[in-house]
Amino acid sequence: MSQSICSNISTLAATTMALPLLFMSLNSVAADKTGAFVGGSLGQLSNNANEHDLGFERFRMKSPAIGVYAGYHFTDWFGLEGQFSAADTSLEGSNSVIGVLSVSPKFSYYVNENIAVYTKVGVSGVGMTWDSEVAHQNVAQDDYLYGAGVHAGLGLNVAMESGINMRVDYTYLTPNIRQPDGYNLGDIDLSSLMLGVHYQF
């Protein structure tokens, strides 16, 4: 089932990335580029957590993810954005979830009136939790990990009429993960590819 979900996400990503070509062939629609915005997203979270000293294999490497994001565009090229995303990373015999909260400045470049590419760099907090009674767990009292680190992202945004925007967003982050007692487990790699829709006020 997870392969089917990932396949559908890839198809949606390809379709969304093709949208600008359609818009470029049409007359550009002047879009509102400043002010507050809020939206939601669906996509995929990839991680290499199991390659580190986390006790045993708890997290699926590629998982469907859901997110919400909001922010404010001060100008047509600069804004601030906050985002929360979560993924069910459960494996057979292990119930686990990864959540990411991020804040970042966002820099946009408009190709025309309604198509923009953007980049963002910021900080993220990460929480990783699992079922503490799973067989093979070697530290029964520790059923969560936490961490923080920097992230960088790239995206493509298509603004349509009436304030509706669609976007494809890729983010890469390397949080430093710790146990509840503060023991440092080192950095892990996380990345997300999300398809989002938001309203620009």
Side-chain angles (χ1 to χ4, degrees):
M1 181 175 178
S2 61
Q3 291 182 346
S4 176
I5 293 174
C6 292
S7 176
N8 290 338
I9 290 172
S10 298
T11 300
L12 287 172
T15 301
T16 305
M17 292 178 72
L19 283 176
L21 298 178
L22 173 61
F23 275 85
M24 286 179 180
S25 66
L26 303 173
N27 291 328
S28 297
V29 178
D32 187 359
K33 303 180 179 69
T34 59
F37 62 94
V38 61
S41 56
L42 295 171
Q44 178 177 280
L45 176 73
S46 301
N47 76 87
N48 72 339
N50 293 326
E51 299 175 12
H52 294 257
D53 184 20
L54 302 185
F56 75 105
E57 190 173 79
R58 299 186 177 102
F59 306 101
R60 188 164 63 233
M61 299 296 289
K62 296 182 183 295
S63 308
I66 187 170
V68 293
Y69 61 95
Y72 196 92
H73 290 132
F74 297 95
T75 69
D76 62 352
W77 64 270
F78 176 73
L80 292 176
E81 178 176 304
Q83 179 171 301
F84 175 76
S85 57
D88 180 358
T89 56
S90 300
L91 293 166
E92 184 176 354
S94 171
N95 298 317
S96 60
V97 174
I98 294 178
V100 180
L101 178 65
S102 62
V103 178
S104 51
K106 178 182 175 185
F107 304 91
S108 302
Y109 174 76
Y110 275 84
V111 178
N112 62 18
E113 285 297 322
N114 60 318
I115 299 172
V117 292
Y118 65 84
T119 184
K120 54 185 180 177
V121 178
V123 294
S124 295
V126 177
M128 309 170 75
T129 184
W130 61 89
D131 184 347
S132 62
E133 297 181 357
V134 174
H136 307 305
Q137 182 165 336
N138 57 15
V139 186
Q141 70 271 25
D142 291 346
D143 57 1
Y144 72 93
L145 301 170
Y146 67 93
V150 297
H151 68 262
L154 294 171
L156 179 67
N157 189 88
V158 179
M160 293 171 280
E161 295 183 79
S162 303
I164 302 299
N165 287 250
M166 296 182 65
R167 76 180 195 178
V168 180
D169 182 277
Y170 175 79
T171 303
Y172 175 78
L173 57 152
T174 56
N176 182 263
I177 300 299
R178 295 177 179 271
Q179 291 180 339
D181 62 5
Y183 180 75
N184 191 336
L185 295 171
D187 296 344
I188 65 171
D189 298 327
L190 298 175
S191 64
S192 63
L193 178 62
M194 307 291 283
L195 308 179
V197 178
H198 66 267
Y199 184 78
Q200 178 75 55
F201 292 94

